[in-house]
Amino acid sequence: RKSVDSTALCLLHSAEFWFEEGLHNFEQYHDVCNVALLRCNLCQCCKVKANANLNHATLSAEQFLQKAIEHLKFAHTALGEREKDPKTWDVISDQLAAAFLVL
């Protein structure tokens, strides 16, 4: 069980790293739709960490959820307005509402 947990955590950290790398590249080229989508992915990483029992985590579950909410707020900010990409905007809004309900 412990090796599965450490493997999953390693994969989560790897995913987070590549999402951050992609985020920086898409921000550089002002690709707001992909910035918003990567923020959603980073939000999911934070939610997974919030729900995982990480005894050695530097943040509490509530703090991970706060980071998830920040990513979603930044995703909305990146899009600027719903009309730019209504489907993505709605996904972000739904995830944001769900995160606030849990918090």
Side-chain angles (χ1 to χ4, degrees):
R1 172 82 182 149
K2 199 166 198 110
S3 68
V4 172
D5 290 343
S6 65
T7 301
L9 189 59
C10 183
L11 290 172
L12 179 62
H13 287 305
S14 176
E16 241 179 336
F17 171 81
W18 290 110
F19 291 150
E20 289 281 352
E21 287 294 308
L23 181 65
H24 296 303
N25 287 321
F26 287 126
E27 284 176 337
Q28 182 179 355
Y29 293 102
H30 308 288
D31 186 338
V32 295
C33 291
N34 279 315
V35 166
L37 291 170
L38 282 171
R39 289 280 184 191
C40 287
N41 289 338
L42 286 164
C43 164
Q44 292 303 321
C45 290
C46 291
K47 287 181 179 180
V48 168
K49 287 180 179 181
N51 289 317
N53 233 350
L54 304 175
N55 294 332
H56 59 282
T58 57
L59 300 176
S60 68
E62 184 176 330
Q63 289 170 314
F64 281 123
L65 287 174
Q66 288 289 351
K67 282 185 69 171
I69 288 169
E70 286 177 28
H71 281 299
L72 294 171
K73 287 180 178 179
F74 284 132
H76 263 166
T77 301
L79 286 177
E81 59 186 24
R82 185 179 185 275
E83 289 72 29
K84 192 165 285 182
D85 188 340
K87 288 181 182 180
T88 303
W89 183 275
D90 291 345
V91 166
I92 295 165
S93 297
D94 289 346
Q95 286 189 20
L96 192 54
F100 276 122
L101 281 174
V102 172
L103 194 62

